[in-house]
Amino acid sequence: MNLKTDTMKIGSYELHAIETGEFALDGGAMFGIIPKVFWEKKIPADDKNRIPLRLRALLISGNGKNILVDDGIGTKEDDKFSSIYKIDHSRFALESSLSKHGLSCNDITDVILTHFHFDHAGGSTKLDGKGNLVPTFPNATYYIQRKNLQWAKDPSEKDQASFTKANFEPLLEANLLKELDGPCELYPGIEILVVEGHTPAQQLVKVSDERTSLLYCGDLIPTSAHVQIPWIMGYDNHPITTLGEKKRILEKAADEKWVLFFEHCPLMAACRPVRTAKGFDCGEKIEI
Ligand SMILES: [Zn+2]
């Protein structure tokens, strides 16, 4: 692993953060029971109480594959939706971030979707020149947990605003979506972990060799501020389940010196967490 050149290598894979854009969500909803006086010191809110967030995918290249983990919020939403969520592709966009690595959407072989919330899987489909919804990565196999797809098709009133059929129906029609049942080793050195607190069967991706492990944390630990145990999103369906899952993963990560990769953090792409008297802290900040 070489931090100086911004290239992280794990086994035969090269890993790169792919910044697909920026958006904002209500700070209170992002931090659940944590009072604003605490969270605003970490990430200040705008005049509508929203905090700035990234839409950071992960590219894993090697062994003849270009694997993308999550694909951002996409470009097919209307102006009203874009203004509610302050969607901004002026600094970062999926295509331009891929092109920095000599890739286009056609070169992506696999898309591992943590879950079908619109800020994780919105980039899976796009509008073509004729206004038809089509898969963004026509040559890729997309992976989702079967339970999460089932929930996305029939969500609860609490979280139905986070799902839209436009993000998965075109994939099903094109026969590009593969459903996984539980944790597995998808490819050598690329492991799928499954957690249940945020949404049914969210899948996290762990890339490992004998020296280094990196975990794509998805919405289990969406920002570096959420490394603190009780900092749990109000969006979570089962916050106590999230608490147990976070603790278990942070304990392992601290003991085995994993790199944690944050999908939404505006402060850092990744860190190597450490134990503290109160729980856990970000420790060494890592750019990827
Ligand atoms: Zn989510």
Side-chain angles (χ1 to χ4, degrees):
M1 191 175 72
N2 186 344
L3 296 179
K4 288 197 181 81
T5 58
D6 278 350
T7 298
M8 178 174 278
K9 283 191 177 163
I10 300 180
S12 44
Y13 300 107
E14 264 192 22
L15 284 77
H16 298 282
I18 298 293
E19 300 282 355
T20 74
E22 295 166 282
F23 78 131
L25 289 172
D26 185 87
M30 279 304 287
F31 294 113
I33 59 157
I34 304 304
K36 186 175 181 182
V37 289
F38 294 132
W39 61 253
E40 72 180 348
K41 285 183 200 149
K42 298 247 180 199
I43 308 176
D46 70 7
D47 58 351
K48 293 192 170 72
N49 208 47
R50 297 172 299 186
I51 58 166
L53 295 165
R54 294 291 181 88
L55 295 153
R56 188 178 288 121
L58 177 68
L59 175 67
I60 308 167
S61 292
N63 293 344
K65 301 214 165 274
N66 292 307
I67 303 163
L68 200 59
V69 184
D70 279 353
D71 50 29
I73 210 161
T75 53
K76 61 187 178 292
E77 303 297 348
D78 63 18
D79 290 348
K80 187 181 167 199
F81 187 94
S82 300
S83 102
I84 291 170
Y85 295 107
K86 218 176 179 177
I87 297 171
D88 182 358
H89 290 110
S90 62
R91 281 209 299 166
F92 310 110
L94 174 67
E95 285 83 357
S96 55
S97 292
L98 285 175
S99 73
K100 283 182 193 159
H101 304 287
L103 298 175
S104 77
C105 292
N106 293 339
D107 298 314
I108 299 299
T109 57
D110 305 75
V111 181
I112 305 173
L113 297 169
T114 56
H115 59 303
F116 264 125
H117 283 169
F118 65 77
D119 53 326
H120 296 256
S124 298
T125 61
K126 63 173 185 182
L127 293 168
D128 69 7
K130 294 175 191 149
N132 299 316
L133 267 177
V134 294
T136 307
F137 309 99
N139 302 316
T141 301
Y142 293 67
Y143 298 91
I144 190 75
Q145 287 287 317
R146 188 184 307 276
K147 259 172 61 184
N148 195 260
L149 175 62
Q150 282 167 356
W151 190 263
K153 288 176 177 172
D154 187 20
S156 72
E157 287 92 340
K158 180 181 188 294
D159 60 351
Q160 64 188 5
S162 297
F163 294 104
T164 159
K165 289 183 168 50
N167 288 335
F168 55 82
E169 278 185 343
L171 309 180
L172 290 167
E173 277 159 25
N175 215 10
L176 296 181
L177 188 62
K178 194 163 175 197
E179 296 165 45
L180 302 174
D181 278 312
C184 64
E185 186 171 44
L186 191 60
Y187 293 116
I190 301 182
E191 214 183 311
I192 303 291
L193 315 183
V194 177
V195 288
E196 302 283 348
H198 176 64
T199 184
Q202 176 184 195
Q203 55 186 3
L204 311 180
V205 181
K206 183 168 167 245
V207 189
S208 305
D209 62 14
E210 56 289 337
R211 282 166 304 161
T212 309
S213 288
L214 177 142
L215 181 70
Y216 188 90
C217 294
D219 269 348
L220 177 70
I221 311 175
T223 77
S224 58
H226 292 85
V227 164
Q228 299 167 95
I229 297 290
W231 294 48
I232 290 171
M233 292 192 286
Y235 298 110
D236 284 19
N237 285 349
H238 304 288
I240 286 290
T241 304
T242 297
L243 188 141
E245 291 167 345
K246 255 172 80 169
K247 258 179 148 165
R248 207 172 55 241
I249 282 179
L250 280 162
E251 280 164 6
K252 259 198 144 203
D255 292 345
E256 297 177 10
K257 299 191 165 50
W258 296 3
V259 174
L260 298 184
F261 186 97
F262 303 120
E263 185 161 12
H264 293 315
C265 191
L267 308 173
M268 66 182 81
C271 79
R272 203 174 259 125
V274 291
R275 285 174 189 269
T276 65
K278 285 187 189 166
F280 299 92
D281 190 66
C282 280
E284 183 194 348
K285 180 172 163 178
I286 296 171
E287 291 307 325
I288 295 171

